[in-house]
Amino acid sequence: MKIKSAEFETSATGLANVPRLAQPEIALIGRSNVGKSSLLNLLAERRDLARVSDLPGKTRLMNFYSINRNWRLVDLPGYGYAKVSKSERADFNEAAADYIEGRKNLRAVLVLIDSRLEPQPIDLAFVEWLVETKVTFGVVFTKTDKQSVSQTQASVARFRAVALDGLDPAPAIFLSSAKTKAGRTEILRYIASRL
Ligand code: GDP
């Protein structure tokens, strides 16, 4: 897909003030600092459409970006700033959860996972919850430039085994790097297929 235009449209605190429907939406979500803003900029081919930061947990707003004036990328608030134990219900951002459960024009959620880490309890809890909502989702493993291909493959295999085993349909999986631009074409192709 060619990106002809990418513009910030609006921010929303909850479903009450999201943009009016009409355009299909693809949402990005993940733990704070996973590389969500960087992926958004990579997909939109803009250097600073979303703010990239070393400080985790900076925003609790949903940000809507209009792409090619006919679909939207939605940057959902990051989750998991606080540590969550396995027994606790994960404290996902309420606005994001409401949006995912209630947004009619949501075509897919992309869950971002740091490719360098062991499966994190909050990511597992979030994916489990996503499966329950029956929303279509894909998994993007970020920052793959920071380690070897075999380390990334091992990490993906571990995550699949604990979080994605037996899911039907199997979620799409992507390996990405904002630095090398790996994954961009594949993710945009997936998005196009969902619009
Ligand atoms: P967000 O909090 O999830 O939006 O994450 P950001 O996009 O702000 O990124 C957090 C930090 O990780 C920043 O310092 C980014 O430069 C860095 N980062 C994000 N993606 C990548 C990547 O693919 N490769 C590398 N090497 N660094 C990345």
Side-chain angles (χ1 to χ4, degrees), residues 33-38 52-54 58 143 145-146 177-178:
N33 223 34
V34 70
K36 192 158 48 74
S37 305
S38 302
V52 172
S53 152
D54 283 324
K58 56 200 180 289
K143 307 190 187 183
D145 60 279
K146 289 200 173 215
S177 163

Side-chain angles (χ1 to χ4, degrees), residues 27-30 36 59 61-63 74-78 95-96 99-100 109:
L28 304 180
I29 194 163
K36 192 158 48 74
T59 175
L61 295 175
M62 301 189 269
N63 293 308
V74 183
D75 180 9
L76 295 176
Y99 169 90
I100 289 170
V109 174

Side-chain angles (χ1 to χ4, degrees), residues 29-32 36 59-61 75-81 92-93:
I29 194 163
R31 289 192 314 125
S32 302
K36 192 158 48 74
T59 175
R60 297 186 79 75
L61 295 175
D75 180 9
L76 295 176
Y79 59 78
Y81 191 36
F92 309 135
N93 177 279

Side-chain angles (χ1 to χ4, degrees), residues 24-139:
E25 292 174 351
I26 303 291
L28 304 180
I29 194 163
R31 289 192 314 125
S32 302
N33 223 34
V34 70
K36 192 158 48 74
S37 305
S38 302
L39 180 70
L40 197 144
N41 289 336
L42 174 72
L43 295 176
E45 252 175 359
R46 296 293 182 278
R47 197 188 283 259
D48 51 10
L49 192 60
R51 253 184 308 143
V52 172
S53 152
D54 283 324
L55 302 171
K58 56 200 180 289
T59 175
R60 297 186 79 75
L61 295 175
M62 301 189 269
N63 293 308
F64 292 78
Y65 299 89
S66 173
I67 310 295
N68 293 348
R69 307 221 165 128
N70 59 18
W71 63 280
R72 297 187 185 108
L73 267 176
V74 183
D75 180 9
L76 295 176
Y79 59 78
Y81 191 36
K83 280 212 169 122
V84 173
S85 77
K86 255 190 209 153
S87 56
E88 273 173 80
R89 191 203 174 296
D91 175 27
F92 309 135
N93 177 279
E94 209 178 305
D98 286 351
Y99 169 90
I100 289 170
E101 283 177 339
R103 187 69 160 164
K104 294 278 184 297
N105 50 333
L106 174 63
R107 296 294 167 79
V109 174
L110 290 173
V111 189
L112 278 58
I113 303 289
D114 190 322
S115 65
R116 298 167 302 169
L117 305 180
E118 290 290 320
Q120 302 290 297
I122 193 154
D123 287 329
L124 299 175
F126 186 76
V127 167
E128 200 176 307
W129 175 79
L130 261 188
V131 171
E132 282 166 21
T133 66
K134 301 204 158 50
V135 166
T136 298
F137 70 96
V139 183

